[in-house]
Amino acid sequence: MVEDTMFSGESKNIEYKVSLPDKSEKYMKTIVAFANTQGGKLIVGVDDKTYQIVGVENDVLFQMMDGIANAVSDSCVPQIIPDIEPQTVDGKTVIVVSVEAGKNRPYYLKSKGKDNGTYIRVAGTSRQAFPEKIKELEMEGARISWDELTCVGYPVSEEATEKLCQDIEKFRKKAGMSEHSVKKEQLINWKILKQSEGQFLATNAYALLTSDYFSFSKTQCAVFKGTDRAVFLDKREFTGPIYTQIEEAVDFVLRNIRLGATIDGLVRKEKYELPPEAIREMIINAHCHRNLLDESCIQVAVYDDRLEVTSPGGLYNGLTYEEVMNGHSKIRNKGIANIFSQMGLVEAWGSGIKRILNAAEEYGLPKPKFQEFDNMFRVELFRVNPITDQANQATNQALKHNHNILTLNRIFWHRISSFLATVFDFSYSTSPCLR
């Protein structure tokens, strides 16, 4: 299975070289890019256009492997230690250079420096990182969360702090959590506030939880006609504390999907066409895991056939799509994630996707779709259209009923015609009024 993946074509984690370029810099970009993204394999001896395995000659095999190891050691900063080994495929030998996702980011080419020599993987290519991406890589390497940094110039007011504490208490009580009381000291322990020389300092998380200070901190919601974004039916933009944005966005979706009802004995039970817990989880995850260095907004879109939630930023710190789907999680925004946990919005790390899948299955919906892009992550929850289905069923029943009536009419007139032919001695088949 692994071998099939390695030789089925280039991807974000696989790159081929039919032979080593004369200048090592040409393939060192790939090594650096793998270390800065999700890791990957550089395979020497495979044609990158035809995917044909051409192999490496045995008499130069180990010399070439030593050359790769030396080039990586001499060219890359910080140090990257790849796993370099020969592998026989279809009777030919190739060199597989495996690079793990690095922890000491950003990695870059020594000859070009950090600003010009930092590369990342985008689809199947290695591209130079923009300054904002380099900044994000620096924070990943330093294990720093942007939301825990001091928000310079943002005031810490008693009114805003008290409201935040009260709101957290309300969420904790609603979630059935013990010890509802929340004070300013707890905000310090949770790294939402900082204290320096007797003064309280706001973090970026504090600003996100108390205001609309950052222009990118908003949730854009829309209803579209059909299955694309050509025609708006309704749109709203929610700002303010991110937990109120979540509540408003969930309410927006619920207002714009169907609410049905069933009768269970004497009890009337209402049920939305999409599971509210899945809707809530999708929007919470988008806020919890978004890239706050990206100035795009979270988008919630309702189409005729699906609900779509898109958050800025790809997967964090080398996390792969497969790991995400298996319940693994890496926390990008530690302050926000901690507060969401304290508010009962997040139950267990890495369980959000599983809850979305389970909720959809319990509702009998198609399996939700999770899409990873280089600069965003998208979740799609598919609608079934009960009104359309019922309308089609009703139409089919009506057509069947009409068909039965026409059949009975033909039989009736056939018998009347036969009777008249017998009584009056003429053929109904030739009578123009009875054809």
Side-chain angles (χ1 to χ4, degrees):
M1 183 63 70
V2 175
E3 186 172 304
D4 290 343
T5 303
M6 284 174 54
F7 298 101
S8 60
E10 291 186 316
S11 66
K12 190 172 186 176
N13 308 100
I14 299 290
E15 182 162 317
Y16 301 142
K17 295 292 182 186
V18 66
S19 62
L20 282 184
D22 294 334
K23 292 185 177 180
S24 62
E25 183 181 295
K26 291 184 177 180
Y27 66 94
M28 284 301 107
K29 295 177 182 178
T30 301
I31 301 296
V32 164
F34 283 152
N36 281 328
T37 316
Q38 297 173 351
K41 297 180 185 295
L42 173 67
I43 305 175
V44 182
V46 180
D47 192 307
D48 59 347
K49 295 182 177 59
T50 65
Y51 306 156
Q52 180 182 358
I53 298 172
V54 298
V56 176
E57 296 295 333
N58 289 331
D59 56 350
V60 297
L61 177 65
F62 291 101
Q63 180 183 350
M64 191 176 291
M65 290 170 61
D66 288 342
I68 295 172
N70 291 334
V72 173
S73 179
D74 295 340
S75 304
C76 305
V77 178
Q79 186 180 31
I80 298 174
I81 304 177
D83 182 27
I84 306 171
E85 61 181 1
Q87 185 169 333
T88 301
V89 183
D90 295 339
K92 297 177 181 179
T93 303
V94 299
I95 298 173
V96 180
V97 184
S98 301
V99 180
E100 296 290 333
K103 296 181 179 179
N104 299 315
R105 305 174 174 199
Y107 295 89
Y108 56 93
L109 297 180
K110 186 188 299 184
S111 61
K112 288 180 172 289
K114 184 190 296 184
D115 292 342
N116 297 314
T118 301
Y119 292 85
I120 57 172
R121 290 293 284 184
V122 178
T125 63
S126 299
R127 297 185 185 177
Q128 187 174 338
F130 292 125
E132 56 269 25
K133 181 62 179 178
I134 295 175
K135 184 177 180 180
E136 182 184 5
L137 291 170
E138 287 174 338
M139 295 182 70
E140 290 177 10
R143 318 296 192 271
I144 295 173
S145 181
W146 182 86
D147 61 342
E148 292 183 345
L149 297 177
T150 301
C151 186
V152 180
Y154 188 84
V156 178
S157 71
E158 287 296 330
E159 182 182 359
T161 302
E162 182 62 25
K163 183 179 185 305
L164 176 58
C165 290
Q166 290 176 356
D167 287 346
I168 295 173
E169 290 174 4
K170 291 176 184 177
F171 274 91
R172 289 176 66 84
K173 185 175 181 180
K174 185 177 179 181
M177 301 173 72
S178 60
E179 299 180 6
H180 303 312
S181 178
V182 177
K183 303 298 181 185
K184 185 182 292 184
E185 290 72 23
Q186 286 166 294
L187 297 182
I188 297 172
N189 293 336
W190 294 337
K191 297 185 179 181
I192 303 303
L193 285 176
K194 295 181 178 182
Q195 196 169 14
S196 176
E197 298 179 353
Q199 292 186 331
F200 292 102
L201 302 177
T203 64
N204 290 324
Y206 180 86
L208 290 166
L209 291 164
T210 58
S211 70
D212 56 0
Y213 180 75
F214 297 107
S215 61
F216 60 80
S217 180
K218 62 183 70 171
T219 305
Q220 296 174 329
C221 299
V223 180
F224 295 96
K225 181 179 180 180
T227 59
D228 57 33
R229 298 194 175 195
V231 180
F232 278 103
L233 295 179
D234 188 17
K235 58 181 177 179
R236 296 285 188 274
E237 189 171 274
F238 301 113
T239 59
I242 55 177
Y243 56 87
T244 64
Q245 291 184 39
I246 292 169
E247 290 185 312
E248 290 169 329
V250 171
D251 289 342
F252 176 88
V253 174
L254 294 179
R255 288 196 305 270
N256 286 286
I257 61 175
R258 297 180 185 87
L259 176 63
T262 57
I263 305 298
D264 185 5
L266 298 177
V267 180
R268 181 179 185 271
K269 294 184 177 180
E270 294 184 336
K271 182 179 179 180
Y272 287 100
E273 62 170 308
L274 297 177
E277 59 269 31
I279 298 169
R280 175 179 173 273
E281 196 67 44
M282 290 165 66
I283 297 172
I284 289 173
N285 280 353
H287 279 277
C288 192
H289 298 294
R290 67 155 293 168
N291 181 3
L292 293 167
L293 293 173
D294 187 325
E295 296 193 357
S296 303
C297 303
I298 289 170
Q299 296 185 336
V300 178
V302 180
Y303 300 92
D304 285 355
D305 64 340
R306 69 193 186 279
L307 166 67
E308 181 181 279
V309 178
T310 305
S311 58
L315 297 179
Y316 177 66
N317 200 9
L319 192 67
T320 66
Y321 177 84
E322 291 74 18
E323 289 172 335
V324 169
M325 298 307 295
N326 287 324
H328 295 284
S329 178
K330 290 186 178 181
I331 302 173
R332 175 183 262 128
N333 306 307
K334 297 176 184 176
I336 298 300
N338 189 23
I339 282 293
F340 279 9
S341 177
Q342 298 296 338
M343 297 172 78
L345 295 175
V346 174
E347 295 179 13
W349 305 122
S351 64
I353 286 180
K354 185 66 174 176
R355 283 199 291 273
I356 294 169
L357 290 168
N358 288 343
E361 184 177 0
E362 289 174 6
Y363 259 61
L365 301 176
K367 186 176 180 179
K369 186 176 182 181
F370 302 87
Q371 293 178 280
E372 174 212 357
F373 302 92
D374 294 301
N375 59 351
M376 63 182 177
F377 193 83
R378 176 173 292 162
V379 184
E380 294 176 328
L381 184 62
F382 296 100
R383 307 172 73 176
V384 291
N385 195 328
I387 292 179
T388 300
D389 292 341
Q390 291 171 4
N392 289 339
Q393 186 178 4
T395 301
N396 292 334
Q397 290 176 346
L399 290 173
K400 184 177 180 180
H401 179 67
N402 291 340
H403 176 74
N404 292 337
I405 291 175
L406 289 172
T407 301
L408 290 173
N409 285 340
R410 291 192 188 98
I411 294 172
F412 172 77
W413 286 111
H414 178 79
R415 290 179 177 176
I416 290 295
S417 300
S418 298
F419 172 77
L420 292 175
T422 301
V423 173
F424 298 105
D425 193 23
F426 72 94
S427 173
Y428 69 88
S429 63
T430 59
S431 175
C433 64
L434 296 175
R435 288 181 182 170

Short mmCIF file of all heavy atoms in Angstrom, two decimals, residues 258 273 304 383-390:
data_model
loop_
_atom_site.label_atom_id
_atom_site.label_comp_id
_atom_site.label_asym_id
_atom_site.label_seq_id
_atom_site.Cartn_x
_atom_site.Cartn_y
_atom_site.Cartn_z
N ARG A 258 -34.55 23.61 7.12
CA ARG A 258 -35.93 23.20 7.39
C ARG A 258 -36.08 22.61 8.78
O ARG A 258 -35.21 21.89 9.25
CB ARG A 258 -36.40 22.19 6.34
CG ARG A 258 -36.42 22.77 4.93
CD ARG A 258 -36.87 21.75 3.93
NE ARG A 258 -36.77 22.28 2.59
CZ ARG A 258 -35.67 22.22 1.84
NH1 ARG A 258 -34.59 21.62 2.31
NH2 ARG A 258 -35.64 22.74 0.64
N GLU A 273 -33.45 19.53 9.73
CA GLU A 273 -32.98 18.61 8.71
C GLU A 273 -31.50 18.28 8.85
O GLU A 273 -31.02 17.26 8.35
CB GLU A 273 -33.23 19.17 7.31
CG GLU A 273 -32.49 20.48 7.03
CD GLU A 273 -32.57 20.88 5.57
OE1 GLU A 273 -32.25 20.04 4.71
OE2 GLU A 273 -32.95 22.03 5.30
N ASP A 304 -28.34 24.84 -1.41
CA ASP A 304 -29.49 23.94 -1.52
C ASP A 304 -29.16 22.51 -1.11
O ASP A 304 -30.02 21.78 -0.62
CB ASP A 304 -30.02 23.91 -2.96
CG ASP A 304 -30.79 25.18 -3.32
OD1 ASP A 304 -30.98 26.02 -2.42
OD2 ASP A 304 -31.20 25.34 -4.49
N ARG A 383 -27.12 18.13 2.87
CA ARG A 383 -28.55 18.14 3.15
C ARG A 383 -29.25 17.06 2.33
O ARG A 383 -28.84 16.74 1.23
CB ARG A 383 -29.17 19.49 2.78
CG ARG A 383 -28.49 20.67 3.40
CD ARG A 383 -28.99 21.99 2.86
NE ARG A 383 -30.33 22.33 3.34
CZ ARG A 383 -30.95 23.46 3.06
NH1 ARG A 383 -30.35 24.36 2.28
NH2 ARG A 383 -32.16 23.70 3.52
N VAL A 384 -30.31 16.50 2.90
CA VAL A 384 -31.27 15.75 2.09
C VAL A 384 -32.49 16.63 2.02
O VAL A 384 -32.83 17.30 3.01
CB VAL A 384 -31.61 14.38 2.70
CG1 VAL A 384 -30.42 13.46 2.63
CG2 VAL A 384 -32.10 14.50 4.13
N ASN A 385 -33.15 16.67 0.87
CA ASN A 385 -34.24 17.62 0.66
C ASN A 385 -35.57 16.92 0.82
O ASN A 385 -36.12 16.42 -0.16
CB ASN A 385 -34.11 18.24 -0.74
CG ASN A 385 -34.98 19.48 -0.88
OD1 ASN A 385 -36.04 19.55 -0.27
ND2 ASN A 385 -34.52 20.43 -1.66
N PRO A 386 -36.12 16.86 2.03
CA PRO A 386 -37.35 16.12 2.24
C PRO A 386 -38.53 16.67 1.48
O PRO A 386 -39.39 15.93 1.03
CB PRO A 386 -37.58 16.22 3.75
CG PRO A 386 -36.81 17.43 4.18
CD PRO A 386 -35.64 17.49 3.26
N ILE A 387 -38.56 18.02 1.30
CA ILE A 387 -39.68 18.60 0.57
C ILE A 387 -39.64 18.17 -0.88
O ILE A 387 -40.63 17.75 -1.47
CB ILE A 387 -39.64 20.13 0.68
CG1 ILE A 387 -39.94 20.55 2.12
CG2 ILE A 387 -40.64 20.76 -0.28
CD1 ILE A 387 -39.91 22.04 2.35
N THR A 388 -38.46 18.22 -1.48
CA THR A 388 -38.32 17.79 -2.87
C THR A 388 -38.64 16.31 -3.01
O THR A 388 -39.34 15.89 -3.93
CB THR A 388 -36.89 18.06 -3.38
OG1 THR A 388 -36.63 19.45 -3.28
CG2 THR A 388 -36.73 17.62 -4.81
N ASP A 389 -38.14 15.50 -2.09
CA ASP A 389 -38.41 14.07 -2.15
C ASP A 389 -39.90 13.79 -2.02
O ASP A 389 -40.48 12.98 -2.75
CB ASP A 389 -37.66 13.35 -1.03
CG ASP A 389 -36.15 13.38 -1.24
OD1 ASP A 389 -35.74 13.64 -2.39
OD2 ASP A 389 -35.42 13.17 -0.27
N GLN A 390 -40.57 14.49 -1.08
CA GLN A 390 -42.00 14.28 -0.89
C GLN A 390 -42.78 14.76 -2.11
O GLN A 390 -43.76 14.14 -2.52
CB GLN A 390 -42.46 15.02 0.36
CG GLN A 390 -41.93 14.39 1.66
CD GLN A 390 -42.20 15.27 2.87
OE1 GLN A 390 -42.85 16.30 2.75
NE2 GLN A 390 -41.69 14.86 4.02
#
